[in-house]
Amino acid sequence: MVTLPSDKEAFIAHYDQSKDRLPGSSLAWLNETRAKNIALFSDIGLPSAKTELWKFTSLNPLKKQAFSAPETSELAANDELPRLIDSTSSVRLVFIDGNYSEALSDSSLPTGLTMESLATVLENGNRDLDQARLTRPRAEEQPFVALNTALMADGYILSIAKDVSLEKTIEILHLGSGKAESTHHTRNIISVGSGSKATIIEHNADHGENVYFSNAATDINVDENATLHHYRVQESNKSAFLISSTEVEVGKGATYDSFLLNTGARLARSEINVSLAAENSACHLNGTYMGTDDQHCDITTRVDHKTPHTTCDEVIKGVLSGNARGVFQGKIIVHEQAQKTVGNQSHRAMLLSDRAEVDVKPELEIFADDVICSHGCTSGQIDEDALFYLRSRGLSQEQAQSLLVNAFLADAVEAVQNEDLKDLFLVRITNWLERNPNKPA
Amino acid sequence: MAATQETVEQVQSLEMDKYKYGFVTDIESEKAPKGLSEDTVRFISAKKNEPEWLLEWRLKAYRLWLTMPEPKWGKLEIPEIDYQDSYYYSSPKSMEDRPQSLDEVDPELLRTYEKLGIPIKEQEVLAGVAVDYVFDSVSVATTFREQLKEVGVIFCPISEAIQDYPELVKKYLGSVVPAGDNKHACLNSAVFTDGSFVYIPKGVRCPMELSTYFRINELNTGQFERTLIVADEGSYVSYLEGCTAPQRDENQLHAAVVELVTMDDAEIKYSTVQNWYPGDEDGKGGIYNFVTKRGICKGKNSKISWTQVETGSAITWKYPSCILQGDNSVGEFYSVAITNGRQQADTGTKMIHLGKNTTSRIISKGISAGKSQNTYRGLVRVAAKAEGARNFTQCDSLLVGETCGAHTVPYIESKNRSARLEHEATTSKISEDQLFYCRQRGISEEDAVGLVVNGFCREVLQELPMEFAVEAQQLVKISLEGSVG
Amino acid sequence: MLEIKNLHAEVDGKAILKGIDLNINKGEVHAIMGPNGSGKSTLANVLAGRDDYEVTEGGILFDGKDISELEPEERAGEGIFLAFQYPVEIPGVTNTTFLKEALNAQRRYRGEEELDGMEFVKMIRGKTKELGIKDDMLKRAVNVGFSGGEKKRNDILQMAVLNPKLAVLDETDSGLDIDALKVVAEGVNKLRAENNAILVITHYQRLLNYIVPDQVHVLSNGKIRRSGGKELALELEEKGYADYSGEAA
C-alpha cells in the first residue's frame, strides 16, 4: 500500500506510479488525455486562498492528510447497504470506494436505460465511448477536474434513450467501505435523450468513520425537451473529503432540475456549472445544507445563459452550528445575445452557534439588456421572538429551536416536485436536527 | 500665498544641493521632471518644504510601490500605464496666472456648470459654500476660512496643514489607508501634491458645508490629492467634492486617497459628484480614476456616510469603505454610477464590522449605457466579535441599450451568528412601457430616459446636500445623452 | 377634429386594424365597443403613436394635420391624451415632477411660455381641488403603490392638468369597482367641454352609464361594423357581441 500525502507533488507522483495500471492504459488517446491533464494540473496546482473560486474554502485540512491508493474494495453484504427508495420503485447502482460493484447493483434495468461502468468501457476499449464528453473543456479552470481526468478509474455512463419516461428512480449509492484511507477519482456521464424524463438520486454514505478523498466529475447532457431531476443526498462521514464538479448542458426546451441535501463530510465542495445554450432551456439548482463541528460545506454554481429565453432559479438554504462553515458562490452570466433571460437566485443562512461562519458571493454578470435577474442573500440567527413565543407555549428551548430550524429548511425543499422525495428530504432534515440538538447559547 | 513664496525660496536654496539630490531642473520650472523616481519624490517634498519625516514616509512608500503589482481583481480592462510618461507635480505658471477670483475660472469649466444649470458663482452665493479649489496640484483659493476658524474648524490645503498642524497630520496620515494598501494608494503616498485637511474639534457642528473642486488642467499631469478629515468627539461635518476635467486625447491618471476618522458620537458625511472627462465615443482619452477612500468609525456611536455620483472618467476604480470599529457605529454607502460610451466602472464599498451593534447600509444604483461596463463590487464582513451587526444592501442595475454590461459582485462574510445581513440585487432593462408613458404625456424620449433614470437613482440622490442634488440630477441626464434613439 | 380614414395597422407583421373610418368633432363623446381581440387597444396605441404599431394604409388627420408620422410626444403636444388601461409605475419620480415635465414639454412644443414653479403649483392645486384629489398624491411617485382606482384617478388628474383636445380612454373601467368607476367618470365629465372631444374604448356598457356618449361604434375584427346612438350600447349589453362574431371569424 502506498501512502500519499496530498499536496500537488503527491498527486503527480500518484499518477506516475499508477498510470500503467489505470483502466484503458492500452488506449493511446486516453494516455495522451491523462498526460495532458496531469500537466495541466501541475500548471494550475491546488487552489489556494488566492484562487478566486476557492477564496472561502481552504484545502489545508486535505493537504495535511495522507491517503492510500485504493487496492481492492471489500464488498459488504447486500442487506447492509443503505437504500433511499424502495426496490419496487427504483433501480439501484452501487459504487464501493469509487468502484462499480456489479454484484451489488440491480441487474435488470428498465427499457430505455443503459448503464456501463467506465472502468469496463475503458478496459474493453469501447469505440462507442464519447471521447469528447470525457475531455469537454470547462468554463473555468478546474484543477480537480484535470486531476480527475488524469486519474479517473471508474464511474457510471448512464444513457436514457429518446422519448422515454422512466417510472423508476435511478438510485446511485456511493459507499465508503470504511476499509482504507483511500482516494478515488470517479468520472460519470449522464445522457438524457430528447423528450425523455428521468429522476436520478445519488447517495453518499459510509460504513465507518474513516478519512478518504473522493474527487468526482460528472458530465450531463439533457437533450431537447427532456427533463432530468437530479437529486443528491450527501451523508458521508465527518472525516471524508468530497469534491465534485458537475457540468451540465441543457438542450432546447429541456430542464435540468437539481436538489442537494448536504449534511455529511469534513469538507464537501459541490460545484455545478450549467450551460443554457438553447432556447427555452431551464435549470433549477436548489438545496439545503446543514453543518456542525468542523464541517465545511461549499456550494459553488455557475449558470451561463447563452441564448435568448432561458431561465434559472436557485434557492439554497443552510444551517450551521459548532465550528461549521458554509460557503455559497453563485454566478449567473447572461451573455450578449441572451435576451429575455430570467435568472433568480437566493441564499439564506442561519447561524446557530458563536463559532459558525458563512461566506457568500452571489454574482451577476450581465451583457444583454432585456433581462430580469436578481439575487438575494440573508444571514442571521434564529428568530428570538419566535423562540420565546414557542417556549412560552411550553416547548423546550431545544424543541422550539428544532421546530423553527426545520421550518426554515423545509421551505427550500418545497422546490422538489416529487412528493415522495420531498418527504425523504424532510425526514432527513428532522433526523439531522434530532442528532444535532444545538446547545442553547 | 506667503507659504508658496517661502516654498520657492526654500527650493532655491536647495538648488545648491542639486547634485546631492541628483536632479537638474530649472527651478523656475513649475513642473517636476517628467517621470517617476526618488528624485521626483524629493522634488515634490522639497517644493512643499516638508519635514524630514514626511519625506521619509514618501520615500518608503515609493520603494514599496516599486515592488507592488497592479490590482487586477476589478472587472476592468486597463491599458498598461506608463508611469514614466507623466508629470507628478505641476503648479499654475505664476501667481498672476492663477484665478484671483472665481470670475477668472476657465470658461470651459464655467460652461460645464452652466450646462448643469448652476453657475458656479450663484452656487456659492446661494449655498454659502466654502470652496477650496484644487487646480492641478496646488490649492489656489480657499474661501470662508476665517469664518470657520472662529469655531475652531481647520479647513486648509493639506500642504499647509503639514506646516501648521504637523502633529495632527502625522498622527492620522496613513492611519486609515496605509501606504501599502494597494498600488494606487501607494503611489499617492509617494507623490501626493495637495488636497484638503479638515479637523472638526470636539462638540462642534461645522456651520457650513465644506467643499472642494478638483480639476485636472495640465496636459500629461497626474493628480494625486490626499484628503484627511478628522471629526473629534461629538462633532459633525458635511464635505462635498466635485471633480471635472477638460477634454484631452491622452489618458490621465487620478490616484487620490481620502481618509476619514470619526471619534465618539462624531459624524462625517462625504459627498462626491465625479464628472471627470470620460473620453470620446471611441474610448480615446479620459481620466483613469483610481481612488482609495476609506473611513474609520473609531469612536462609539460615530457615523460615516459616503454618497457618490460617478458619471465621468474613462475608468473608475473606487470603493469608499467604512471600518466600523466603535460600538454602535454606522456606515453608509449611497452610490450612483453611470457609464456610457466606452466607460468602465468597477465601484462599490467595503463595510467591515468590528464593534458591537454596528450597522451598515449600502444602496447602489448602476446604470450602463452605450458600450460601457459597470460593476458593483462590495464586501460586507462581520468579525466574530461584532455582536448584533446589521447590514442591508440593495444593488440595482439598469441597462440602457444592448451593448453594455452590468455586473454585481458582492462578498458577504459573517462570523457572528447574531449578525443580520440582507442583500438584494436586481438587474433589468429600462422599461419601454415607462418610456412610452412619459412620451405619451409629451416628454421627449431623451428627457424620458433622464426622468426614469433619475427616479431610479432617487434614493441615492436625496442623500446629497440640496445644492448638489440639483446639479447631480442634471448630470445624470447629461451623462445619458445619446444613449437612446 | 379627428378624422380616421381607411386605417390599416399591424403589430409584429400581423394585421389588426383593417380599414377604420371614424370622424369625431369638437365637443363630442364617442364610444368604441367590441369583443376582446377586436383591435380596440390597438386603435388607442396607434392614435398615440406607439412604436411597433405600424400604419400600413390610410391615415389619421388631427385638426386637419396628418399625424401618422409624428412621434408620441409630438402627438401629445398636438393635444392627444391616452388614459392607459394599465397606467405605468415610475419609481422615484414624483407626480409633481412628472406633471411639470410633461406640461412644460407640451408647452414648449406649442411655442408657449413654460410655467415656473409657483404658477405650476397654483395651477395643479386648483386641479386637485376640482377633482377632489388629496394633495399628498402629488408627492408620491407616479403610480407606485397606487391601488387600481388610484392609478386611474391619477390618469384623470394628468388629463386635467394637460388639458388635451382629444382624450382617448383605453379600457379605463377595467378592474374598477363601481365606486371607483363613478369617481373616474365624474372626473372625465368635469373635463367635457365645447372645445375638446373624448373617445371611450370599452368592452362593457357600464362606463357609458356615467360617461354618456353621443355616438357608439362597434369594432370587430379590425373594422367598425356598426355605428349608432347611445342606445346601441344598451343593445350590445343585452345581446352581447355574438352578432358580430361572424365578421370576426
Side-chain angles (χ1 to χ4, degrees):
Chain A
M1 190 183 283
V2 198
T3 300
L4 303 163
S6 34
D7 58 1
K8 179 175 123 180
E9 281 66 32
F11 284 117
I12 295 169
H14 176 40
Y15 168 78
D16 289 336
Q17 289 161 22
S18 57
K19 62 180 173 194
D20 299 332
R21 284 177 287 128
L22 287 167
S25 56
S26 59
L27 302 171
W29 69 267
L30 183 61
N31 290 334
E32 200 178 302
T33 301
R34 290 188 192 277
K36 219 161 76 187
N37 277 275
I38 201 72
L40 177 63
F41 171 76
S42 170
D43 276 356
I44 314 169
L46 286 170
S48 72
K50 283 185 181 158
T51 314
E52 184 62 30
L53 269 172
W54 291 81
K55 195 179 161 61
F56 299 123
T57 294
S58 165
L59 290 170
N60 288 339
L62 174 73
K63 287 180 193 164
K64 280 183 204 146
Q65 199 63 50
F67 294 105
S68 53
E71 301 284 311
T72 50
S73 298
E74 297 284 325
L75 306 184
N78 203 1
D79 57 355
E80 284 175 28
L81 301 182
R83 183 152 200 157
L84 292 177
I85 300 178
D86 191 81
S87 59
T88 54
S89 47
S90 72
V91 47
R92 188 177 62 175
L93 308 172
V94 179
F95 287 78
I96 308 288
D97 296 335
N99 295 316
Y100 178 60
S101 166
E102 197 176 349
L104 296 175
S105 300
D106 292 347
S107 51
S108 80
L109 301 181
T111 323
L113 172 68
T114 55
M115 183 301 187
E116 290 172 291
S117 103
L118 181 76
T120 314
V121 171
L122 295 179
E123 280 302 330
N124 296 346
N126 191 325
R127 65 273 153 236
D128 290 339
L129 180 68
D130 190 348
Q131 295 178 18
R133 292 285 292 279
L134 282 179
T135 52
R136 177 143 86 184
R138 301 286 170 128
E140 312 259 4
E141 212 170 52
Q142 290 171 304
F144 285 105
V145 174
L147 188 64
N148 178 289
T149 312
L151 286 163
M152 56 189 172
D154 207 348
Y156 56 81
I157 301 173
L158 270 179
S159 301
I160 292 141
K162 282 184 188 172
D163 301 315
V164 176
S165 265
L166 284 184
E167 302 249 319
K168 288 191 172 184
T169 298
I170 304 163
E171 178 173 338
I172 302 170
L173 171 65
H174 302 277
L175 189 76
S177 68
K179 294 287 192 304
E181 287 161 357
S182 61
T183 153
H184 30 90
H185 304 269
T186 51
R187 187 62 166 243
N188 312 305
I189 296 179
I190 302 173
S191 311
V192 185
S194 58
S196 291
K197 281 190 170 54
T199 302
I200 295 175
I201 185 160
E202 302 202 52
H203 187 198
N204 292 85
D206 292 327
H207 282 164
E209 296 288 317
N210 65 313
V211 176
Y212 65 90
F213 171 41
S214 156
N215 174 28
T218 304
D219 186 292
I220 300 176
N221 267 9
V222 188
D223 288 351
E224 223 172 291
N225 297 320
T227 301
L228 175 63
H229 300 287
H230 189 193
Y231 302 129
R232 285 179 297 159
V233 175
Q234 195 277 100
E235 306 179 307
S236 300
N237 84 78
K238 283 185 201 159
S239 304
F241 293 88
L242 259 64
I243 291 175
S244 74
S245 31
T246 305
E247 197 83 5
V248 188
E249 182 92 39
V250 187
K252 193 171 168 186
T255 301
Y256 175 72
D257 170 50
S258 81
F259 186 88
L260 167 66
L261 183 102
N262 189 98
T263 59
R266 163 84 175 78
L267 184 156
R269 156 105 166 184
S270 161
E271 201 169 318
I272 306 180
N273 298 322
V274 181
S275 162
L276 301 175
E279 291 212 1
N280 298 312
S281 53
C283 72
H284 314 294
L285 307 176
N286 302 314
T288 65
Y289 60 87
M290 286 143 267
T292 184
D293 302 331
D294 285 321
Q295 286 186 288
H296 183 111
C297 169
D298 175 337
I299 297 176
T300 294
T301 69
R302 171 186 165 122
V303 178
D304 280 88
H305 295 265
K306 295 176 178 166
T307 43
H309 299 283
T310 56
T311 308
C312 84
D313 291 301
E314 246 180 300
V315 178
I316 313 267
K317 285 196 158 191
V319 167
L320 299 161
S321 70
N323 283 317
R325 193 167 171 194
V327 173
F328 171 72
Q329 305 183 98
K331 200 180 214 180
I332 294 177
I333 303 171
V334 179
H335 293 256
E336 211 172 307
Q337 58 283 14
Q339 301 292 355
K340 309 278 181 197
T341 287
V342 178
N344 294 303
Q345 182 189 71
S346 113
H347 174 266
R348 316 241 174 265
M350 195 186 266
L351 303 185
L352 298 180
S353 79
D354 288 331
R355 296 175 316 276
E357 176 176 348
V358 63
D359 300 302
V360 181
K361 187 189 173 201
E363 205 173 335
L364 298 172
E365 209 171 285
I366 293 166
F367 296 94
D369 70 326
D370 196 359
V371 302
I372 301 171
C373 288
S374 71
H375 63 224
C377 296
T378 61
S379 131
Q381 63 181 342
I382 207 155
D383 182 344
E384 296 286 349
D385 292 341
L387 204 60
F388 176 71
Y389 178 80
L390 291 175
R391 292 177 71 191
S392 76
R393 293 296 176 267
L395 272 70
S396 71
Q397 166 96 11
E398 277 178 18
Q399 280 175 309
Q401 182 160 304
S402 172
L403 197 69
L404 292 172
V405 174
N406 210 329
F408 173 78
L409 292 173
D411 184 50
V413 182
E414 281 305 310
V416 177
Q417 288 157 17
N418 182 318
E419 291 298 325
D420 293 341
L421 290 176
K422 191 186 279 184
D423 289 345
L424 187 144
F425 294 135
L426 289 173
V427 165
R428 286 186 135 68
I429 290 172
T430 309
N431 289 345
W432 184 86
L433 287 167
E434 276 168 13
R435 282 199 315 274
N436 297 283
N438 199 63
K439 292 102 210 158
Chain B
M1 295 299 150
T4 318
Q5 203 53 53
E6 280 168 23
T7 309
V8 173
E9 285 161 16
Q10 175 73 22
V11 175
Q12 270 168 344
S13 72
L14 275 171
E15 211 191 359
M16 304 299 190
D17 297 326
K18 67 182 175 190
Y19 181 70
K20 177 180 160 194
Y21 292 107
F23 58 80
V24 193
T25 307
D26 180 359
I27 201 63
E28 292 305 314
S29 160
E30 298 297 334
K31 271 185 188 172
K34 199 175 190 177
L36 186 54
S37 64
E38 284 205 8
D39 290 345
T40 321
V41 177
R42 289 178 195 279
F43 177 92
I44 292 166
S45 192
K47 272 274 187 192
K48 299 274 173 190
N49 191 24
E50 284 174 355
E52 188 62 24
W53 67 266
L54 190 52
L55 174 63
E56 281 310 315
W57 192 76
R58 284 176 181 276
L59 287 171
K60 213 170 132 190
Y62 171 73
R63 286 166 199 146
L64 186 59
W65 176 81
L66 288 173
T67 68
M68 289 181 83
E70 297 277 345
K72 289 280 185 217
W73 37 264
K75 199 174 175 56
L76 299 168
E77 275 178 36
I78 305 173
E80 202 178 325
I81 298 166
D82 182 357
Y83 290 97
Q84 301 307 332
D85 192 34
S86 192
Y87 292 97
Y88 290 84
Y89 180 88
S90 103
S91 68
K93 296 290 174 292
S94 66
M95 295 296 284
E96 289 72 35
D97 283 348
R98 292 175 196 167
Q100 299 297 304
S101 74
L102 300 178
D103 293 336
E104 293 175 27
V105 171
D106 183 344
E108 203 178 327
L109 181 63
L110 292 176
R111 268 200 298 281
T112 307
Y113 291 138
E114 220 169 289
K115 213 174 175 187
L116 294 172
I118 310 163
I120 189 167
K121 264 184 86 174
E122 193 186 323
Q123 182 189 344
E124 249 197 314
V125 175
L126 279 177
V129 173
V131 181
D132 176 21
Y133 286 96
V134 175
F135 277 76
D136 290 318
S137 312
V138 177
S139 183
V140 291
T142 306
T143 49
F144 292 99
R145 274 171 64 182
E146 290 309 308
Q147 242 172 297
L148 290 167
K149 230 177 200 169
E150 277 170 27
V151 290
V153 171
I154 303 169
F155 177 37
C156 65
I158 201 161
S159 52
E160 280 183 41
I162 289 162
Q163 306 298 328
D164 299 345
Y165 312 97
E167 317 75 35
L168 274 176
V169 176
K170 195 171 178 179
K171 183 169 174 191
Y172 292 108
L173 187 74
S175 70
V176 192
V177 181
D181 190 77
N182 64 72
K183 187 155 184 126
H184 306 311
C186 194
L187 177 62
N188 174 288
S189 303
V191 302
F192 75 90
T193 40
D194 223 324
S196 298
F197 174 77
V198 178
Y199 175 79
I200 316 291
K202 279 183 190 173
V204 171
R205 198 180 163 87
C206 187
M208 59 184 78
E209 312 268 3
L210 303 183
S211 174
T212 304
Y213 259 90
F214 291 108
R215 171 173 158 71
I216 295 177
N217 216 8
E218 281 291 316
L219 203 63
N220 289 338
T221 304
Q223 183 162 334
F224 307 93
E225 81 271 2
R226 182 133 196 147
T227 298
L228 175 57
I229 302 178
V230 180
D232 217 327
E233 285 173 29
S235 68
Y236 169 85
V237 63
S238 169
Y239 186 90
L240 320 179
E241 171 195 70
C243 320
T244 56
Q247 301 186 359
R248 302 265 186 235
D249 282 350
E250 297 79 12
N251 293 109
Q252 286 170 283
L253 179 60
H254 174 248
V257 171
V258 175
E259 298 177 282
L260 310 183
V261 181
T262 52
M263 303 307 184
D264 288 0
D265 305 303
E267 178 177 349
I268 298 176
K269 187 174 167 59
Y270 195 104
S271 313
T272 304
V273 174
Q274 185 264 111
N275 184 32
W276 299 117
Y277 178 54
D280 68 10
E281 281 167 27
D282 303 320
K284 194 168 163 52
I287 303 290
Y288 294 162
N289 191 32
F290 300 158
V291 176
T292 307
K293 293 184 170 181
R294 193 175 305 151
I296 181 165
C297 287
K298 256 186 146 54
K300 58 181 197 299
N301 306 317
S302 61
K303 179 174 175 182
I304 289 176
S305 179
W306 298 101
T307 304
Q308 62 174 25
V309 177
E310 302 281 324
T311 62
S313 296
I315 303 175
T316 296
W317 178 98
K318 182 184 171 189
Y319 317 90
S321 303
C322 299
I323 299 166
L324 304 170
Q325 184 183 308
D327 291 349
N328 307 315
S329 58
V330 177
E332 293 178 336
F333 176 72
Y334 297 96
S335 170
V336 168
I338 301 180
T339 53
N340 198 352
R342 293 197 179 261
Q343 282 178 275
Q344 305 176 64
D346 195 294
T347 184
T349 186
K350 288 189 252 183
M351 293 290 175
I352 312 293
H353 293 257
L354 302 175
K356 290 187 172 55
N357 299 315
T358 46
T359 307
S360 63
R361 184 177 170 83
I362 299 171
I363 307 288
S364 165
K365 305 281 179 178
I367 298 104
S368 325
K371 292 186 160 68
S372 69
Q373 298 295 328
N374 199 333
T375 302
Y376 167 83
R377 187 180 303 278
L379 168 67
V380 174
R381 176 178 287 157
V382 178
K385 287 182 177 158
E387 208 59 40
R390 279 288 276 129
N391 165 265
F392 175 79
T393 301
Q394 177 77 47
C395 290
D396 296 315
S397 302
L398 192 66
L399 295 140
V400 185
E402 291 172 18
T403 47
C404 51
H407 318 297
T408 314
V409 192
Y411 296 76
I412 304 154
E413 306 171 12
S414 176
K415 285 189 166 66
N416 189 296
R417 68 161 165 163
S418 64
R420 276 194 293 160
L421 313 180
E422 284 173 72
H423 172 100
E424 297 290 338
T426 65
T427 304
S428 55
K429 179 193 177 173
I430 191 163
S431 148
E432 295 291 344
D433 285 344
Q434 287 176 346
L435 295 183
F436 178 64
Y437 192 71
C438 294
R439 293 177 73 192
Q440 207 301 307
R441 297 298 181 254
I443 300 165
S444 72
E445 190 168 17
E446 198 152 88
D447 286 348
V449 170
L451 197 67
V452 170
V453 172
N454 261 305
F456 175 76
C457 300
R458 183 154 186 252
E459 249 182 299
V460 172
L461 297 179
Q462 69 189 7
E463 290 296 321
L464 288 171
M466 189 69 94
E467 57 273 27
F468 254 32
V470 182
E471 178 182 338
Q473 283 176 28
Q474 290 297 322
L475 200 55
V476 165
K477 214 173 121 182
I478 292 169
S479 308
L480 290 166
E481 274 177 10
S483 62
V484 288
Chain C
M1 176 193 278
L2 179 72
E3 296 166 69
I4 300 176
K5 282 181 193 160
N6 189 31
L7 183 69
H8 287 69
E10 56 181 47
V11 182
D12 292 334
K14 195 181 164 211
I16 308 279
L17 301 184
K18 301 167 182 172
I20 290 193
D21 291 288
L22 180 67
N23 286 320
I24 301 178
N25 299 314
K26 275 185 188 174
E28 290 181 351
V29 175
H30 286 233
I32 290 193
M33 300 181 71
N36 291 329
S38 58
K40 299 192 302 285
S41 280
T42 300
L43 177 61
N45 281 307
V46 167
L47 286 173
R50 188 163 192 154
D51 293 348
D52 307 331
Y53 289 77
E54 204 187 332
V55 174
T56 49
E57 207 183 323
I60 308 164
L61 295 183
F62 188 66
D63 274 345
K65 182 174 176 179
D66 183 358
I67 60 162
S68 37
E69 292 299 312
L70 295 187
E71 294 293 325
E73 58 268 32
E74 292 170 328
R75 298 182 198 213
E78 293 290 339
I80 293 177
F81 179 92
L82 175 64
F84 284 61
Q85 185 175 358
Y86 305 107
V88 178
E89 300 185 5
I90 311 180
V93 178
T94 65
N95 265 320
T96 306
T97 306
F98 182 74
L99 282 167
K100 191 169 175 229
E101 285 269 334
L103 180 66
N104 280 334
Q106 291 199 16
R107 293 179 74 97
R108 277 197 303 275
Y109 178 81
R110 295 192 289 263
E112 298 165 8
E113 280 278 307
E114 290 182 35
L115 293 189
D116 68 23
M118 287 297 280
E119 291 168 326
F120 177 76
V121 167
K122 216 174 132 189
M123 188 273 283
I124 201 167
R125 286 272 155 80
K127 297 292 181 190
T128 49
K129 213 172 159 190
E130 195 183 324
L131 294 168
I133 289 171
K134 284 186 193 147
D135 281 348
D136 72 335
M137 191 153 166
L138 294 171
K139 292 181 200 142
R140 291 165 64 185
V142 180
N143 296 327
V144 177
F146 284 31
S147 69
E150 281 178 319
K151 284 183 182 174
K152 300 291 164 78
R153 289 175 69 187
N154 199 27
D155 254 23
I156 301 303
L157 171 65
Q158 290 178 9
M159 182 172 147
V161 170
L162 299 171
N163 194 22
K165 289 184 195 159
L166 172 69
V168 181
L169 311 183
D170 182 11
E171 310 245 8
T172 293
D173 50 335
S174 75
L176 292 190
D177 63 32
I178 196 72
D179 293 326
L181 186 76
K182 276 185 194 169
V183 173
V184 167
E186 223 170 87
V188 173
N189 286 330
K190 278 188 181 148
L191 301 170
R192 281 177 84 157
E194 271 178 26
N195 286 322
N196 58 36
I198 297 170
L199 177 60
V200 183
I201 291 174
T202 182
H203 184 87
Y204 301 105
Q205 182 267 341
R206 63 174 192 162
L207 179 65
L208 303 180
N209 288 336
Y210 304 98
I211 305 173
V212 182
D214 299 303
Q215 278 201 56
V216 175
H217 312 275
V218 183
L219 184 67
S220 173
N221 194 21
K223 267 186 135 160
I224 289 178
R225 305 292 169 179
R226 199 173 151 199
S227 297
K230 62 185 171 197
E231 62 288 348
L232 179 55
L234 292 167
E235 188 191 316
L236 287 169
E237 177 80 357
E238 211 173 292
K239 294 188 182 166
Y241 294 105
D243 289 355
Y244 305 95
S245 57
E247 283 125 321

